[in-house]
Amino acid sequence: MNSGINRQILLVDKPAGKLGPEHFDMRNGTIPQPRDGEALLKVRYISLDAANRAWMHGATYRAAVEANTVMAGGGIAEVISSKSPGLAEGDIVFGDTGWQEYAAVPAKHLSKMPKIEPMTYLLSVYGIAGLTAYFGLLDVGKPKVGETVVVSAAAGSVGSIVGQIARIKGCKVVGIAGGKDKCHWLTSELGFDAAVDYKDGAVFKALKAAAPNGIDVYFDNVGGDIFEACLAQMNNNGRIACCGAISQYDGAPSATGPRGVPGLIVVKRLTVQGFIVMDYMERRNEALRDLQSWVASGALKVQEDIISGLENTPQALIGLLAGENRGKRMVKV
Amino acid sequence: MNSGINRQILLVDKPAGKLGPEHFDMRNGTIPQPRDGEALLKVRYISLDAANRAWMHGATYRAAVEANTVMAGGGIAEVISSKSPGLAEGDIVFGDTGWQEYAAVPAKHLSKMPKIEPMTYLLSVYGIAGLTAYFGLLDVGKPKVGETVVVSAAAGSVGSIVGQIARIKGCKVVGIAGGKDKCHWLTSELGFDAAVDYKDGAVFKALKAAAPNGIDVYFDNVGGDIFEACLAQMNNNGRIACCGAISQYDGAPSATGPRGVPGLIVVKRLTVQGFIVMDYMERRNEALRDLQSWVASGALKVQEDIISGLENTPQALIGLLAGENRGKRMVKV
């Protein structure tokens, strides 16, 4: 057991502006003893998510991460020992393990996962990313055959799956991503009909060219200016699925919101709906059946971005917020 | 037939900023001859609506009103002669008559109305205002017994009915209106549980006191700062019914939108939905049955604000945009 040492990454300071390495510190903690109802976990993969940054602000769907505690984060872990009847040594679980090598977590906060290969799929296509894409697009966005679906952060963990599901469902798919390489990857590898590079000038105009018939479903991962540009190009009775607002997380709160709210929402009869994937967990198997069959047939490609070493977790998150990942980013502990 | 003269009010100039009397002019036109399929109408009551102002901008659910044409507007009129088999002399109709004494309108653009007393109810509780309140609150807002419903422009034509329907449906109702008198009227006469005077300092704080358990349904007539204040106080899974944005109509387009979009929509899993009452016209009778029974039982009070004389129509709209009306404002021609 690594001679009893539990390497941990602490959030030592809550960022007021941009997140940097100075907000984290590493320490050698001890391996905890599980109490009744808990399992002792060895963390295998830590999930990096834009939401990690939002948790530092507070005002999200979970309690804020406090300074000088182990940084919170979802992970895939193996049960080392258990004081809960529901879990046994060798089980694979998903839960908020935090950024550390070992964690003792109440079994009721853990989800037992099937043993699949590669295990990383439990964080990507069959994990939060895949389920978020599935329910957000199909349940909130409600795309119909032939409609135009636009997704932002399209090369990211959720966006890359959203666009592929939309394509499978017979929609015209436009991705918004940063950089020529990502955009080329979306159209050449993932089957998007078009891609807009938000780093290459005005999104509004490029989007107009890529989606000349307007937007029926916009899957929003970013908020801000891109939300505004899409809102202005929505068709009547369109749907905006609000999944996240990564453009707003890493810095001070924005002093303004997107223009056109609520005026355009009225005249275009739009439905703008936020969702949190946790609310869909009862319907998880429904999603997994579809996702597994699409992966098996090759219709859905899985892209992962795996970084090795717990010590690289802060930089992995900082880079994710800057948009450097392609597909689901995680750290192999 | 008034010696063949048809008094008309023209929009002579499209306002860039605030609407004023200088944007209108009156002229003596001629009474038109109805063509095949048209009816000649004598206009009885002209409806004043915040939307009239929005139509001057364009970018609404109808074509923009052009300068140097008769100002557009809904009205209740009597058929004088008809060249359409569906309409006969003496019929009462609703349609876009424009601001004038006589109009020849294609019958397919007119709705034949029942002959009820007072006729003005066809513009207020049984007209666009009542139907907008009914479908917007019940179909879009979906209030449940015991929930808190907040409505802005609460003393207006739509808001005053929204609040009363919410009360009838067993909700706690908070109205936002301008001025002590209106607020007192909402609570003492219409049965609102509380009222917030937006002219009396910070809406956010007063709303917090009036709706201490947060907001489940916000019926938005105004947009802008009040939208922002309500958004910030929505409960999880709340609904915002976007009916209009009167704060945004009378002036240059706003350079910013409300803060918290889309961030709060995500974390609170809100549904923000725009609607146009015209989309509900097939279900009109369903609404009328309920509205009539509530009016008959005294549960729903009808408030009208009737101004006499076609020549006063411009000032009636200017005053409505400044919030001077209580209940449904119309002009008796």
Side-chain angles (χ1 to χ4, degrees):
Chain A
M1 262 202 205
N2 198 13
S3 59
I5 287 173
N6 179 21
R7 294 196 307 156
Q8 303 176 306
I9 294 171
L10 307 187
L11 181 71
V12 290
D13 192 16
K14 290 227 223 184
K18 250 187 151 38
L19 183 70
E22 68 277 16
H23 298 110
F24 296 100
D25 202 6
M26 198 150 186
R27 77 166 173 206
N28 288 334
T30 54
I31 297 175
Q33 293 297 322
R35 287 175 293 192
D36 279 349
E38 290 186 342
L40 176 64
L41 308 177
K42 183 171 191 340
V43 182
R44 301 285 299 272
Y45 291 92
I46 292 169
S47 175
L48 278 307
D49 300 280
N52 299 152
R53 177 68 184 86
W55 299 343
M56 299 175 190
H57 285 307
T60 69
Y61 49 90
R62 53 156 286 152
V65 180
E66 294 304 330
N68 292 310
T69 60
V70 174
M71 176 62 197
I76 290 291
E78 189 181 333
V79 175
I80 301 292
S81 67
S82 171
K83 288 198 168 176
S84 163
L87 290 174
E89 192 185 330
D91 281 350
I92 299 296
V93 295
F94 173 78
D96 184 351
T97 61
W99 291 8
Q100 55 190 340
E101 292 177 311
Y102 296 91
V105 179
K108 65 181 176 193
H109 294 159
L110 296 169
S111 304
K112 192 170 161 180
M113 304 303 272
K115 291 189 180 171
I116 59 163
E117 283 299 328
M119 185 191 282
T120 54
Y121 277 25
L122 296 172
L123 282 185
S124 60
V125 67
Y126 305 140
I128 297 298
L131 297 172
T132 299
Y134 185 91
F135 289 112
L137 178 66
L138 300 182
D139 220 72
V140 181
K142 298 186 178 70
K144 298 186 201 91
V145 173
E147 286 191 328
T148 298
V149 173
V150 172
V151 57
S152 52
S157 59
V158 173
S160 60
I161 300 176
V162 166
Q164 293 185 82
I165 297 176
R167 191 240 305 131
I168 289 166
K169 292 290 182 181
C171 298
K172 176 173 171 168
V173 185
V174 178
I176 304 175
K180 276 194 176 34
D181 286 352
K182 279 184 182 175
C183 286
H184 180 255
W185 175 65
L186 293 175
T187 52
S188 64
E189 295 290 321
L190 300 191
F192 283 52
D193 294 283
V196 167
D197 178 2
Y198 71 82
K199 293 182 174 169
D200 183 33
V203 166
F204 186 92
K205 230 172 140 177
L207 195 54
K208 194 113 193 161
N213 298 322
I215 304 170
D216 299 298
V217 177
Y218 170 49
F219 191 107
D220 180 45
N221 285 309
V222 302
D225 293 345
I226 290 175
F227 181 98
E228 186 175 289
C230 290
L231 177 63
Q233 296 186 45
M234 294 299 293
N235 290 329
N236 283 353
N237 301 302
R239 288 81 65 199
I240 300 183
C242 297
C243 178
I246 193 170
S247 74
Q248 308 297 304
Y249 295 159
D250 197 23
S254 184
T256 65
R259 282 171 295 185
V261 176
L264 293 177
I265 295 174
V266 177
V267 299
K268 297 177 173 200
R269 303 91 149 145
L270 303 180
T271 301
V272 183
Q273 190 177 344
F275 71 99
I276 303 283
V277 69
M278 298 308 167
D279 297 340
Y280 287 90
M281 280 305 159
E282 281 182 13
R283 292 173 53 194
R284 177 191 204 139
N285 287 335
E286 173 190 330
L288 290 177
R289 266 196 308 274
D290 277 344
L291 292 166
Q292 281 162 351
S293 97
W294 294 329
V295 170
S297 73
L300 179 57
K301 291 187 183 168
V302 182
Q303 178 76 17
E304 298 178 328
D305 171 5
I306 302 172
I307 291 167
S308 279
L310 178 70
E311 65 280 8
N312 295 318
T313 316
Q315 196 53 53
L317 178 58
I318 293 162
L320 178 136
L321 294 169
E324 70 183 26
N325 60 302
R326 190 182 288 186
K328 176 64 197 170
R329 175 165 279 197
M330 59 188 95
V331 164
K332 185 171 198 293
V333 178
Chain B
M1 261 202 208
N2 198 14
S3 59
I5 287 174
N6 179 20
R7 293 195 307 156
Q8 303 176 307
I9 295 172
L10 308 187
L11 181 72
V12 290
D13 192 16
K14 291 229 225 183
K18 249 186 154 37
L19 183 70
E22 69 277 14
H23 298 110
F24 297 98
D25 203 5
M26 197 150 187
R27 78 165 172 207
N28 288 335
T30 53
I31 298 176
Q33 294 296 322
R35 286 176 293 191
D36 279 349
E38 289 186 342
L40 175 64
L41 308 177
K42 183 172 190 341
V43 182
R44 300 285 299 273
Y45 291 93
I46 292 169
S47 176
L48 279 307
D49 299 281
N52 299 152
R53 177 68 184 85
W55 298 343
M56 299 175 189
H57 285 307
T60 69
Y61 49 90
R62 53 157 284 153
V65 181
E66 293 305 329
N68 292 310
T69 60
V70 173
M71 176 61 197
I76 290 290
E78 190 182 331
V79 175
I80 302 291
S81 66
S82 172
K83 288 199 169 176
S84 163
L87 290 174
E89 192 184 329
D91 282 350
I92 299 297
V93 295
F94 173 79
D96 184 351
T97 61
W99 292 9
Q100 55 189 342
E101 292 177 311
Y102 296 91
V105 179
K108 66 180 177 192
H109 295 158
L110 296 169
S111 304
K112 191 172 162 180
M113 305 303 272
K115 290 189 181 172
I116 59 163
E117 282 299 325
M119 185 190 282
T120 54
Y121 278 26
L122 295 173
L123 282 184
S124 61
V125 67
Y126 304 140
I128 298 298
L131 298 173
T132 299
Y134 185 92
F135 289 113
L137 178 66
L138 300 181
D139 220 72
V140 181
K142 298 187 178 68
K144 298 187 200 90
V145 174
E147 286 191 328
T148 298
V149 173
V150 172
V151 57
S152 52
S157 60
V158 173
S160 61
I161 300 177
V162 167
Q164 293 185 84
I165 297 177
R167 190 238 307 130
I168 290 166
K169 292 290 182 182
C171 297
K172 176 172 173 172
V173 186
V174 178
I176 305 174
K180 276 193 175 35
D181 286 353
K182 278 184 181 174
C183 286
H184 181 254
W185 174 66
L186 292 176
T187 53
S188 64
E189 296 290 322
L190 300 192
F192 282 53
D193 294 284
V196 167
D197 178 3
Y198 71 82
K199 292 182 174 168
D200 184 33
V203 166
F204 186 92
K205 231 172 142 176
L207 195 55
K208 194 113 193 161
N213 298 323
I215 304 169
D216 299 298
V217 177
Y218 171 48
F219 191 106
D220 181 45
N221 286 308
V222 302
D225 293 346
I226 290 176
F227 181 98
E228 185 175 289
C230 289
L231 178 64
Q233 296 186 44
M234 293 299 293
N235 289 329
N236 282 352
N237 301 303
R239 287 81 65 200
I240 300 182
C242 297
C243 178
I246 192 171
S247 73
Q248 308 297 303
Y249 294 159
D250 197 21
S254 184
T256 65
R259 283 172 293 185
V261 176
L264 293 177
I265 296 174
V266 177
V267 299
K268 296 178 174 201
R269 303 91 150 144
L270 303 180
T271 302
V272 182
Q273 191 177 344
F275 70 100
I276 303 284
V277 69
M278 299 309 167
D279 298 339
Y280 288 91
M281 281 305 160
E282 281 183 11
R283 292 173 52 194
R284 177 190 204 140
N285 288 334
E286 173 189 329
L288 290 178
R289 266 196 307 274
D290 278 344
L291 292 167
Q292 282 163 351
S293 98
W294 294 330
V295 170
S297 73
L300 179 57
K301 291 187 184 169
V302 182
Q303 178 76 17
E304 297 179 329
D305 172 5
I306 303 172
I307 291 168
S308 280
L310 178 70
E311 64 280 10
N312 295 317
T313 317
Q315 195 53 52
L317 178 58
I318 292 162
L320 178 137
L321 294 169
E324 70 183 25
N325 61 303
R326 191 183 286 185
K328 175 63 195 170
R329 174 165 279 196
M330 60 189 94
V331 164
K332 187 172 198 292
V333 179

